[in-house]
Amino acid sequence: MRHFLTTEDWSRTELQALIDRARVLKDSPHGEALKGKSIALMFFNPSLRTRTSFDLGARQLGGHAIVLDARGQTWPVEIGDGTVMDGEPEEHAREAARVLSRYVDLIAIRCFPKFQDWASEREDPLITAYARHATVPVINMETIVHPCQELALMMALQQRLGDVRGKEFLLTWVPHPKPLNTAVANSALLIASKFGMNVRLLIPDEAYRLDERYMGAAQRFCAEAGTSLTVTTDPQAAYAGAHAVYAKSWGALPFYGRWADEAPVRAKGAGFMIDEAKMALTDGGVVSHCLPMRRNVKIADAVVDSPAFLGIEEAENRLHVQKALMERMIQER
Amino acid sequence: MRHFLTTEDWSRTELQALIDRARVLKDSPHGEALKGKSIALMFFNPSLRTRTSFDLGARQLGGHAIVLDARGQTWPVEIGDGTVMDGEPEEHAREAARVLSRYVDLIAIRCFPKFQDWASEREDPLITAYARHATVPVINMETIVHPCQELALMMALQQRLGDVRGKEFLLTWVPHPKPLNTAVANSALLIASKFGMNVRLLIPDEAYRLDERYMGAAQRFCAEAGTSLTVTTDPQAAYAGAHAVYAKSWGALPFYGRWADEAPVRAKGAGFMIDEAKMALTDGGVVSHCLPMRRNVKIADAVVDSPAFLGIEEAENRLHVQKALMERMIQER
Amino acid sequence: MRHFLTTEDWSRTELQALIDRARVLKDSPHGEALKGKSIALMFFNPSLRTRTSFDLGARQLGGHAIVLDARGQTWPVEIGDGTVMDGEPEEHAREAARVLSRYVDLIAIRCFPKFQDWASEREDPLITAYARHATVPVINMETIVHPCQELALMMALQQRLGDVRGKEFLLTWVPHPKPLNTAVANSALLIASKFGMNVRLLIPDEAYRLDERYMGAAQRFCAEAGTSLTVTTDPQAAYAGAHAVYAKSWGALPFYGRWADEAPVRAKGAGFMIDEAKMALTDGGVVSHCLPMRRNVKIADAVVDSPAFLGIEEAENRLHVQKALMERMIQER
């Protein structure tokens, strides 16, 4: 049985097949691939697009989604093995995962890190515990990576740019009042490099390098594809000739859990918002961001409201790629 | 594309057609008008009837409702144009509305005013922002008016009274421990006047006059129909010969956002609860209230539990009129 | 019209018929018994299994479940007759129940006691108010008893033990950091005695006797079946030769609402966790617990992870028995 926890476990060919199928489902949205099947959607964090697109996607394929708000409507969960459960958690993931597996055919989970201790949180402990104990496939709806967003992004890039191989992909850190999860940044690195793009990472300071797990994987994918992974703190160099710009804000990992200390380093990126001047340096580049997105903080209105922005298409694609994914995971069971 | 934000934009003929269709759907509840279609239900406030009736109604017509608790399960939303989004909101209504429009066929929103500044809140800023940016029709599930409740009320009145033209409709302010939204009161004024009833507004003090937008509209509708709109602070006069009594409590607009100052004025309405003595003054009148409703504060048990009370039918009608509405809005797209 | 508030009102033959039907539905899960029908699921407390299994079960039978989080997404409810509703509740159960009855075909409610005053809470006031005012059948999803869990447990016992008559059933109090609801303990007494088992109740102190309503009912059922109900504080005696061990923790009723005083009495049960040594005293007994369950507090890992544990099957059975129940209640209407 195979989970969809991270695209690292899936080949480019497999991922492209999902995107190709998503393109078909976009034109022909209704089907019966999930007839009589069900998926549990467990949310430990807020969601608008993910929830709507999974629920609707399951329905359009004849299936049924059950939305579980895991923050208050269900029981707090323990994941450690052998724990004496005399603390807050009333239930072990072992039981929750096994019971849900008796009811439903797929389990999807959103669980952001807690921003306390990256050394343990980089192991993605909750979703991996569910995957270990579930007897049905588990889908990642964003933890420390966001693989469904990767598929939606790549589908949108291919819709606009055609074959993306050898094209210049810029992942740029952008400002935000709070230190955020690195998930979408990690994911952007993974998918752009895996699909043969030259990848540039623009950060305000070396402290914003992403975890070595993802930097290393991107490096490997680029090496295999004969492309390059470049890290820079220079916006001019980063934007010059880019074909696609992807924006994301995140907290610097060396300051993880002690964010007050990060503030002065963060200040170096004060000018990193994407605006028309920066976009003018690109090779007529497109620009995107997963949503939600703070306007005029991460990307200026003039850019968001220009034809170069493909964030709405990317969000729409969530529906199509997730349907392709659910369909395949049900077929393979 | 047409929204259903307020009945002010819809003619009496159109509204009557919805009620007529609702009557048919009451007898024959299942259909396929929404087959393959979906509706997002966004709740910024609690709901029992609205949520249940929209969800069930969509399903009975072959469609699918997606319930979004917008207070905690989704992202806080900005509505201003050009805002530098460095505050609480993570997302702009522009993106939320556009993305939802890619997923679903209808968007319904409940968003009560915040009781801070009537001058801005009387513009109904959130739902109008969604309507401006959405590319699918938007339905009002109660903001500063409650147009679905209007249809349900008028359907119930017609079920009991037959042709309502020329009949006496009393909207009476009733006590409540808290200052409440004027939405249902505004709506009662609009629908009763539009459908040709003589409208009486009973308030404990001039401070409880409703916003001029609604007073003026009701005045206009009455003028067109050759009926009258009367405002009084005298319960005896107000109840005398009434055919329908509608109860609602609301906060006095001149004290909006500084409710402590309203208390002495509010005290003048201490005797305004609907009881048997008052009902005895009517012309065998029926009585209703949108739900929820505090018994023995707004209406005495003896009245609620009498055959004159049509609040349960009115609530049931929500299901029927909303199905008629969704059906029509889908057909018109 | 008949509700499913407690198995006390249902005969053993009727309950066995539900279990027999559940066994059929387990093998053949899809049907049309609820086609065009709907059920409202009202949760005043958290849920994972109950929510998932009712929602999915309704769907598998062609029906539609509407999940209402009654703690924040709907309005606070009054249940007293004649109350002047000037407190927190905005709505009376009388209206909520009557309106829901206009929309849906079944109403299911989860409402735990408030742990304040057992004398009133033992009357199960909220669900009985809904049952009194609803015009459709009401199903108990756990209040002060948990009758759906009873059916699931008995189905699991019969799956493992075959005919349970005359077999030894041990209900053992187990440790937990907090004083919990007696619902599942009450229910275990009721179902084991009604189905002809010899029932042993193991408690750390006489203070943990269950309410006389349930002790008396179990006594009566045992008398009718020619079996026995034994209460003991001696684990050795209790486990010796048992065929089924059922674990549950609960707060001692004499200390209800003043739990600090219960602590020293509770300490007497510190050694009551189910472990391998205790299980070795049984007659190859099976062991179970409704979920959620704290590992290594209530039951040791070695026991939970042994073949003797049937908690996962019991949880799965919730789906099957509830489908049988909904089907029957719809047929009888």
Side-chain angles (χ1 to χ4, degrees):
Chain A
M1 188 185 63
R2 201 157 172 210
H3 301 297
F4 189 72
L5 304 185
T6 164
T7 57
E8 295 165 90
D9 309 330
W10 289 62
S11 75
R12 179 184 159 178
T13 308
E14 289 172 321
L15 298 175
Q16 185 63 57
L18 290 174
I19 294 171
D20 292 344
R21 178 64 186 152
R23 210 173 284 118
V24 173
L25 287 165
K26 181 179 176 176
D27 292 331
S28 176
H30 297 282
E32 304 236 307
L34 266 64
K35 193 173 174 187
K37 305 296 182 182
S38 55
I39 180 169
L41 309 177
M42 301 193 76
F43 288 99
F44 291 85
N45 306 91
S47 166
L48 172 66
R49 279 152 287 274
T50 299
R51 179 179 176 160
T52 305
S53 58
F54 263 108
D55 187 340
L56 188 64
R59 166 81 178 187
Q60 289 181 342
L61 295 177
H64 185 54
I66 290 173
V67 181
L68 299 167
D69 183 333
R71 294 168 301 167
Q73 290 172 6
T74 67
W75 308 96
V77 161
E78 170 67 43
I79 54 177
D81 286 335
T83 313
V84 175
M85 291 174 57
D86 54 3
E88 192 58 30
E90 292 283 349
E91 166 136 55
H92 199 285
R94 197 178 284 261
E95 274 69 62
R98 286 193 293 166
V99 171
L100 280 178
S101 300
R102 298 284 181 112
Y103 294 150
V104 299
D105 301 283
L106 296 169
I107 298 171
I109 296 175
R110 161 165 291 193
C111 182
F112 297 170
K114 295 184 193 307
F115 296 99
Q116 290 166 354
D117 172 45
W118 181 244
S120 59
E121 292 173 24
R122 73 192 290 277
E123 303 300 332
D124 220 354
L126 189 128
I127 201 170
T128 54
Y130 269 87
R132 206 158 56 240
H133 300 304
T135 55
V136 298
V138 173
I139 293 174
N140 186 336
M141 299 196 294
E142 191 175 355
T143 58
I144 56 170
V145 285
H146 196 349
C148 294
Q149 194 74 39
E150 292 179 42
L151 293 174
L153 163 61
M154 186 47 65
M155 181 173 171
L157 289 175
Q158 293 180 345
Q159 286 168 319
R160 290 279 191 118
L161 304 178
D163 189 348
V164 301
R165 280 177 296 184
K167 296 256 170 46
E168 304 292 325
F169 179 90
L170 165 61
L171 169 61
T172 174
W173 185 95
V174 287
H176 190 283
K178 291 179 252 179
L180 298 182
N181 190 0
T182 54
V184 173
N186 297 333
S187 276
L189 274 192
L190 289 176
I191 199 72
S193 58
K194 184 167 238 163
F195 274 70
M197 303 184 84
N198 287 300
V199 177
R200 307 164 179 191
L201 173 61
L202 171 62
I203 48 180
D205 185 277
E206 289 295 315
Y208 288 90
R209 276 182 178 272
L210 293 162
D211 189 272
E212 182 50 30
R213 173 173 172 187
Y214 305 107
M215 296 295 288
Q219 190 69 67
R220 243 176 5 257
F221 292 141
C222 285
E224 286 166 23
T227 56
S228 63
L229 170 65
T230 324
V231 182
T232 176
T233 58
D234 174 8
Q236 296 280 328
Y239 278 84
H243 299 104
V245 180
Y246 203 60
K248 188 71 191 73
S249 192
W250 63 89
L253 294 178
F255 298 93
Y256 202 86
R258 42 188 196 90
W259 300 112
D261 300 342
E262 187 211 26
V265 192
R266 173 170 289 259
K268 295 188 192 177
F272 274 45
M273 179 177 77
I274 302 177
D275 55 21
E276 287 182 297
K278 293 194 189 75
M279 288 305 296
L281 302 171
T282 68
D283 185 5
V286 293
V287 59
S288 196
H289 187 293
C290 74
L291 301 174
M293 171 192 70
R294 289 169 178 257
R295 284 170 168 257
N296 302 314
V297 171
K298 290 170 154 186
I299 311 184
D301 272 348
V303 176
V304 178
D305 296 329
S306 76
F309 185 69
L310 49 75
I312 303 297
E313 290 139 82
E314 180 179 329
E316 180 194 323
N317 290 345
R318 292 288 306 280
L319 175 64
H320 311 311
V321 299
Q322 290 161 191
K323 285 166 71 177
L325 180 66
M326 288 188 283
E327 193 181 81
R328 167 160 183 174
M329 296 185 90
I330 286 289
Q331 280 161 355
E332 284 200 350
R333 270 196 76 193
Chain B
M1 189 184 61
R2 199 156 171 209
H3 301 296
F4 189 72
L5 304 185
T6 164
T7 57
E8 295 164 90
D9 309 330
W10 290 61
S11 74
R12 179 184 157 177
T13 308
E14 289 172 321
L15 299 174
Q16 185 64 57
L18 291 174
I19 294 171
D20 292 344
R21 177 64 185 150
R23 210 172 285 119
V24 174
L25 288 165
K26 181 180 175 175
D27 291 331
S28 175
H30 297 282
E32 304 235 308
L34 267 65
K35 194 175 174 187
K37 305 297 182 183
S38 55
I39 180 170
L41 308 177
M42 302 193 76
F43 288 99
F44 291 84
N45 306 92
S47 167
L48 171 67
R49 279 152 288 273
T50 299
R51 178 179 176 159
T52 304
S53 58
F54 264 108
D55 186 340
L56 187 64
R59 167 79 177 189
Q60 289 180 342
L61 295 177
H64 185 54
I66 291 174
V67 181
L68 299 166
D69 183 334
R71 294 169 302 167
Q73 291 172 5
T74 68
W75 307 97
V77 161
E78 171 67 42
I79 54 176
D81 287 334
T83 313
V84 175
M85 290 175 56
D86 54 4
E88 191 58 30
E90 293 283 350
E91 166 136 55
H92 199 285
R94 198 178 283 261
E95 275 69 63
R98 286 194 293 168
V99 171
L100 280 178
S101 299
R102 298 283 180 114
Y103 295 151
V104 298
D105 302 282
L106 295 169
I107 298 171
I109 297 175
R110 162 165 289 193
C111 182
F112 296 169
K114 294 184 193 308
F115 295 99
Q116 290 165 353
D117 171 45
W118 181 243
S120 60
E121 292 173 25
R122 74 192 290 278
E123 303 300 332
D124 220 354
L126 190 128
I127 200 168
T128 53
Y130 270 87
R132 207 161 53 243
H133 299 305
T135 55
V136 299
V138 173
I139 293 174
N140 187 337
M141 299 196 294
E142 191 177 353
T143 59
I144 56 170
V145 284
H146 196 349
C148 294
Q149 194 74 39
E150 293 179 42
L151 293 173
L153 164 61
M154 186 48 64
M155 181 174 171
L157 289 175
Q158 292 180 344
Q159 286 168 320
R160 291 279 192 116
L161 304 178
D163 189 348
V164 300
R165 280 176 296 184
K167 296 255 171 49
E168 304 292 325
F169 179 90
L170 165 60
L171 169 61
T172 174
W173 185 94
V174 286
H176 189 284
K178 291 179 252 179
L180 297 182
N181 191 0
T182 54
V184 173
N186 296 333
S187 276
L189 273 191
L190 289 176
I191 199 72
S193 59
K194 184 167 239 164
F195 274 69
M197 302 184 84
N198 288 299
V199 178
R200 307 164 180 190
L201 174 61
L202 171 61
I203 48 180
D205 184 278
E206 288 295 314
Y208 288 89
R209 276 184 176 271
L210 294 162
D211 190 273
E212 183 50 32
R213 172 171 172 188
Y214 306 107
M215 295 296 286
Q219 190 68 66
R220 242 177 3 259
F221 293 141
C222 285
E224 285 165 24
T227 56
S228 63
L229 170 64
T230 323
V231 182
T232 176
T233 57
D234 174 9
Q236 296 281 329
Y239 279 84
H243 299 106
V245 180
Y246 203 60
K248 187 73 191 71
S249 193
W250 63 90
L253 296 176
F255 298 93
Y256 202 86
R258 42 186 199 92
W259 300 110
D261 300 341
E262 187 211 28
V265 192
R266 172 171 290 259
K268 295 189 193 177
F272 274 46
M273 179 177 76
I274 301 177
D275 55 22
E276 287 182 298
K278 292 193 188 75
M279 288 304 295
L281 302 171
T282 68
D283 184 6
V286 294
V287 59
S288 196
H289 187 292
C290 73
L291 301 174
M293 171 191 69
R294 290 170 178 255
R295 284 170 169 257
N296 302 314
V297 171
K298 290 170 154 185
I299 309 184
D301 271 349
V303 176
V304 178
D305 297 329
S306 77
F309 186 69
L310 48 76
I312 303 297
E313 290 139 80
E314 181 180 330
E316 180 195 322
N317 289 345
R318 294 287 306 279
L319 175 64
H320 311 310
V321 299
Q322 290 161 190
K323 285 166 70 177
L325 181 65
M326 289 189 283
E327 195 182 82
R328 167 162 182 172
M329 296 185 90
I330 287 289
Q331 280 161 356
E332 286 201 348
R333 273 196 72 194
Chain C
M1 188 184 62
R2 202 156 170 209
H3 301 297
F4 190 72
L5 304 185
T6 164
T7 58
E8 295 164 90
D9 309 330
W10 290 62
S11 74
R12 179 183 157 179
T13 307
E14 289 172 321
L15 298 174
Q16 185 64 56
L18 290 174
I19 294 171
D20 292 344
R21 177 64 185 151
R23 211 173 284 118
V24 173
L25 288 166
K26 180 178 175 176
D27 291 331
S28 176
H30 297 281
E32 305 235 308
L34 266 64
K35 192 171 175 191
K37 304 297 181 181
S38 55
I39 180 169
L41 309 177
M42 302 192 76
F43 288 99
F44 290 84
N45 306 91
S47 168
L48 171 67
R49 279 152 287 274
T50 298
R51 179 181 175 157
T52 305
S53 57
F54 264 107
D55 186 341
L56 187 64
R59 167 81 178 188
Q60 290 180 342
L61 295 177
H64 185 54
I66 291 173
V67 181
L68 300 166
D69 184 333
R71 294 169 302 166
Q73 290 173 5
T74 67
W75 307 97
V77 162
E78 170 66 42
I79 54 176
D81 286 334
T83 313
V84 175
M85 291 175 57
D86 54 4
E88 192 58 31
E90 293 282 349
E91 166 136 54
H92 199 284
R94 198 179 283 260
E95 274 69 63
R98 286 193 293 167
V99 170
L100 280 177
S101 299
R102 298 283 181 114
Y103 295 150
V104 298
D105 302 283
L106 297 169
I107 298 171
I109 297 175
R110 162 165 291 193
C111 182
F112 297 169
K114 295 185 193 308
F115 296 100
Q116 289 165 354
D117 171 45
W118 181 243
S120 59
E121 292 173 24
R122 75 192 289 276
E123 303 301 332
D124 220 355
L126 189 128
I127 200 168
T128 53
Y130 270 87
R132 206 160 54 242
H133 301 304
T135 55
V136 299
V138 173
I139 293 174
N140 187 336
M141 299 196 294
E142 192 177 354
T143 57
I144 55 171
V145 285
H146 196 350
C148 294
Q149 195 74 39
E150 292 178 41
L151 293 174
L153 164 62
M154 186 49 63
M155 181 175 171
L157 289 175
Q158 293 180 343
Q159 286 168 320
R160 291 280 191 116
L161 304 178
D163 189 348
V164 301
R165 280 177 296 183
K167 297 257 171 47
E168 304 291 325
F169 179 90
L170 165 60
L171 169 60
T172 174
W173 185 95
V174 287
H176 189 284
K178 291 179 255 179
L180 298 182
N181 191 0
T182 54
V184 173
N186 296 334
S187 276
L189 273 192
L190 290 176
I191 199 71
S193 58
K194 185 167 239 164
F195 274 70
M197 303 184 84
N198 287 300
V199 178
R200 306 165 178 188
L201 173 61
L202 171 61
I203 48 180
D205 184 277
E206 289 294 315
Y208 288 90
R209 277 182 177 272
L210 294 163
D211 189 272
E212 182 51 30
R213 173 174 172 187
Y214 306 107
M215 296 296 286
Q219 189 69 65
R220 244 178 2 259
F221 292 142
C222 285
E224 286 165 23
T227 56
S228 63
L229 169 65
T230 324
V231 182
T232 176
T233 57
D234 173 10
Q236 295 281 328
Y239 278 84
H243 299 105
V245 179
Y246 203 60
K248 188 71 191 70
S249 192
W250 63 90
L253 295 177
F255 298 93
Y256 203 86
R258 43 188 196 92
W259 300 110
D261 299 341
E262 187 212 25
V265 192
R266 173 170 288 259
K268 295 189 190 176
F272 275 46
M273 180 177 77
I274 302 176
D275 56 21
E276 287 183 296
K278 292 194 190 73
M279 288 305 295
L281 302 171
T282 68
D283 184 5
V286 294
V287 58
S288 196
H289 187 292
C290 73
L291 301 173
M293 172 192 69
R294 289 170 178 256
R295 283 170 169 258
N296 302 314
V297 170
K298 290 170 154 185
I299 310 184
D301 272 348
V303 175
V304 178
D305 296 329
S306 76
F309 185 69
L310 48 75
I312 303 298
E313 290 139 81
E314 181 179 330
E316 180 193 323
N317 290 345
R318 292 288 305 279
L319 175 64
H320 311 312
V321 298
Q322 290 161 190
K323 286 166 71 178
L325 180 65
M326 289 189 283
E327 194 181 83
R328 168 163 181 171
M329 295 184 91
I330 287 289
Q331 280 162 356
E332 285 200 351
R333 272 194 76 194

